[in-house]
Amino acid sequence: MVSDLLLTTFLSIQAIVKNQRNECAGSIYSDGTYSLFWGNIDRVKVSSDGVLLWHYHSDGNLFLSLQDWLCFFYSKADTVALFADNRILVIKKNNDCKRLRELLEIEAAAFKGYPSVIKFRFINTIESFFSINLSEQAEDKLIDCFKIYYEIIEV
């Protein structure tokens, strides 16, 4: 699933973020370059202008939070990589996720300027789309709820 160029980029990012105390995120572009933004557990800039989103969890948790999933589902990127310790979780959108993104775009357009309403609407849309109640799901189990392809790379 991961090309040689992408793996080289992953290793470059891993060398920078490994053992950092702050979270960070960015995009990876088709030529292997990438952006990097530093933040904290509650707030790190999401750059979604690349072909792949990436995120680093300083606590070592190798699962996306609900907030991470919202960003990924809404982004144009087809893939997200999560760095944690010596592992990289790589998740690729399937056709269901692409249809979900279209629904989220409609919600975002309808409530532009009202971010708290948009988040609420995104959660309702995702719950309806997957027939789940997100408040009853542990964050480390969400990947199973979304029935999405993933790979774990050990580095």
Side-chain angles (χ1 to χ4, degrees), residues 51-135:
V51 295
L52 184 146
L53 300 178
W54 70 270
H55 188 69
Y56 168 70
H57 279 175
S58 57
D59 61 8
N61 287 330
L62 195 64
F63 57 85
L64 297 179
S65 67
L66 178 57
Q67 190 74 18
D68 296 338
W69 280 108
L70 295 176
C71 292
F72 177 53
F73 284 145
Y74 183 62
S75 77
K76 291 180 183 177
D78 283 337
T79 308
V80 65
L82 173 63
F83 295 78
D85 294 329
N86 293 326
R87 301 165 296 157
I88 306 168
L89 172 66
V90 181
I91 302 171
K92 185 157 180 63
K93 285 182 181 171
N94 57 26
N95 288 334
D96 285 342
C97 294
K98 292 174 185 177
R99 285 192 300 276
L100 174 59
R101 183 178 186 281
E102 293 170 3
L103 296 174
L104 296 176
E105 282 182 315
I106 292 167
E107 293 296 332
F111 295 97
K112 188 176 182 178
Y114 300 93
S116 60
V117 174
I118 290 173
K119 182 178 179 181
F120 175 77
R121 298 292 299 207
F122 276 17
I123 290 171
N124 284 343
T125 300
I126 291 168
E127 287 178 331
S128 175
F129 191 85
F130 290 106
S131 300
I132 60 173
N133 182 338
L134 289 171
S135 65

Side-chain angles (χ1 to χ4, degrees), residues 10-27:
F10 283 172
L11 294 175
S12 177
I13 293 169
Q14 178 74 10
I16 293 170
V17 302
K18 187 176 180 178
N19 300 322
Q20 292 293 323
R21 293 179 185 217
N22 293 324
E23 291 203 12
C24 52
S27 287

Side-chain angles (χ1 to χ4, degrees), residues 141-154:
K141 304 296 182 203
L142 288 177
I143 198 165
D144 298 326
C145 296
F146 301 140
K147 297 177 180 24
I148 197 164
Y149 175 78
Y150 67 94
E151 172 183 5
I152 298 174
I153 300 170
E154 300 280 338

